[in-house]
């Protein structure tokens, strides 16, 4: 998890944190679960957790999932 994603995670409501944590843990087993969407023009994927989105990349060489962003759906794609 990137530092920015960790900060965003800490700011989430407690009920949402639990759901996001279980989703991230599941990505370790299956990095492209049903419902994950590849973002257009990028190598990242996103998965929905209620009104929140987890944006992540899959590093095949290191066999790792890198969580880049966790945010509300209206904020997640803005930079």
């Amino acid at each position: 998890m990137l530092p920015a994603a960790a900060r965003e995670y800490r700011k989430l409501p407690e009920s949402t944190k639990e759901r996001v944590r279980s989703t991230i843990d599941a990505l370790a087993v299956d990095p492209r679960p049903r419902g994950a969407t590849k973002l257009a023009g990028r190598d990242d994927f996103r998965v929905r957790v209620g009104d929140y989105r987890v944006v992540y990349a899959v590093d095949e060489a290191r066999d790792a999932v890198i969580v880049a962003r966790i945010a509300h759906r209206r904020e997640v794609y803005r930079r």
Side-chain angles (χ1 to χ4, degrees):
M1 187 178 302
L2 296 179
R7 280 192 304 275
E8 293 165 345
Y9 176 78
R10 286 191 298 269
K11 293 178 185 178
L12 294 174
E14 286 302 319
S15 60
T16 304
K17 272 186 187 179
E18 189 174 313
R19 292 174 50 208
V20 168
R21 171 52 63 192
S22 66
T23 300
I24 292 171
D25 290 344
L27 290 175
V29 176
D30 182 11
R32 293 178 187 89
R34 187 168 174 228
T37 305
K38 186 166 184 337
L39 298 178
R42 297 167 54 175
D43 291 330
D44 297 343
F45 293 85
R46 72 125 168 103
V47 65
R48 292 179 53 192
V49 182
D51 285 340
Y52 288 83
R53 304 294 183 261
V54 176
V55 177
Y56 65 96
V58 178
D59 186 350
E60 299 290 342
R62 295 190 311 182
D63 195 29
V65 172
I66 303 156
V67 177
R69 189 113 201 259
I70 303 168
H72 192 275
R73 64 185 181 89
R74 71 175 166 250
E75 301 287 328
V76 74
Y77 305 112
R78 295 180 188 168
R79 275 288 166 175

